[in-house]
Amino acid sequence: SQTIHQWPATLVQPVGSPLSLECTVEGTSNPNLYWYRQAAGRGLQLLFYSIGIGQISSEVPQNLSASRPQDRQFILSSKKLLLSDSGFYLCAWSAAGNNSPLHFGNGTRLTVT
Amino acid sequence: GQQLNQSPQSMFIQEGEDVSMNCTSSSIFNTWLWYKQEPGEGPVLLIALYKAGELTSNGRLTAQFGITRKDSFLNISASIPSDVGIYFCAGQPPPRGGTSYGKLTFGQGTILTVHP
């Protein structure tokens, strides 16, 4: 069966420091991969998605970037964190194709101080 | 862009009561999904709907894909304390330009509180 791993679970970083969140998927090949951010309150905002290695699409302009160095690995990064980057970051995968549901990881709670 | 209106925003109910929540959109979707999120965790898929008019059950949960493809509802029967959480609807729009990816539009969530 497919599983998704996301780490770390929580992270406290000072303003201006770099960020690297990692997500890996097991049990499937060529998945679509996604990074979402969930601010306090509830809504989920799509940040990046990827349909293949090295193929990244950004949904909103921001201080973050994403990379997909391997088929089942998705990384969210920042060179210099802002206070506004605090939030709950969720990685998700779906099978290739347009009608496949998303499956989420357990998220990373990022607090920028 | 597409937006989903999910209601109600929150519900406070007694254990044993039935629950109903819905989502509406100004544009059509090819797929409707319902998720539940518990504190500190990622959303978990409850029900996926792929066809207009489709009615699907998962235990005490029932969801329907609206005939117009612009709405969906989720019902929970005989609620129990472990039903507490945030419930999200999500819709997948028709593909554009042949691109095959599953971008979702999410509703703002319904916070469900169940009193024993």
Side-chain angles (χ1 to χ4, degrees), chain A residues 4-110:
Chain A
I4 180 169
H5 302 282
Q6 190 179 341
W7 67 94
T10 60
L11 189 61
V12 180
Q13 291 284 98
V15 168
S17 64
L19 173 73
S20 181
L21 303 181
E22 189 162 343
C23 172
T24 59
V25 180
E26 296 177 359
T28 186
S29 296
N30 195 33
N32 297 328
L33 297 172
Y34 311 82
W35 279 111
Y36 279 83
R37 177 168 55 202
Q38 186 176 30
R42 291 132 59 164
L44 286 92
Q45 179 186 37
L46 179 62
L47 302 177
F48 301 96
Y49 67 89
S50 171
I51 62 173
I53 295 174
Q55 300 179 67
I56 310 295
S57 295
S58 174
E59 285 294 296
V60 293
Q62 59 203 314
N63 185 42
L64 303 168
S65 62
S67 61
R68 184 170 178 175
Q70 300 180 45
D71 181 45
R72 290 169 289 174
Q73 183 184 27
F74 207 23
I75 298 172
L76 183 69
S77 303
S78 173
K79 292 182 179 178
K80 289 185 177 181
L81 284 168
L82 306 173
L83 285 174
S84 57
D85 291 325
S86 294
F88 192 50
Y89 289 85
L90 290 158
C91 181
W93 74 273
S94 69
N98 195 57
N99 278 344
S100 300
L102 267 63
H103 303 276
F104 288 87
N106 276 334
T108 295
R109 172 73 60 193
L110 171 65

Side-chain angles (χ1 to χ4, degrees), chain B residues 1-109:
Chain B
Q2 294 170 313
Q3 293 185 340
L4 287 183
N5 296 311
Q6 184 172 350
S7 64
Q9 292 187 9
S10 60
M11 302 184 73
F12 299 85
I13 64 170
Q14 292 292 130
E15 182 177 2
E17 291 183 1
D18 296 343
V19 173
S20 183
M21 58 192 79
N22 69 83
C23 279
T24 59
S25 171
S26 59
S27 52
I28 64 172
F29 288 105
N30 276 2
T31 303
W32 281 96
L33 307 169
W34 284 93
Y35 290 86
K36 177 188 178 187
Q37 184 178 26
E38 299 190 13
E41 298 182 5
V44 174
L45 181 67
L46 299 174
I47 293 179
L49 303 161
Y50 299 103
K51 185 177 176 181
E54 179 181 355
L55 183 70
T56 297
S57 293
N58 178 7
R60 293 179 294 105
L61 277 63
T62 302
Q64 184 160 30
F65 191 143
I67 290 290
T68 64
R69 296 171 63 191
K70 294 182 179 181
D71 63 315
S72 177
F73 71 75
L74 174 71
N75 289 340
I76 305 173
S77 63
S79 59
I80 59 178
S82 62
D83 289 333
V84 166
I86 304 176
Y87 291 80
F88 290 98
C89 63
Q92 286 183 342
R96 292 179 296 173
T99 313
S100 61
Y101 57 84
K103 275 177 58 177
L104 294 181
T105 300
F106 279 86
Q108 288 300 302

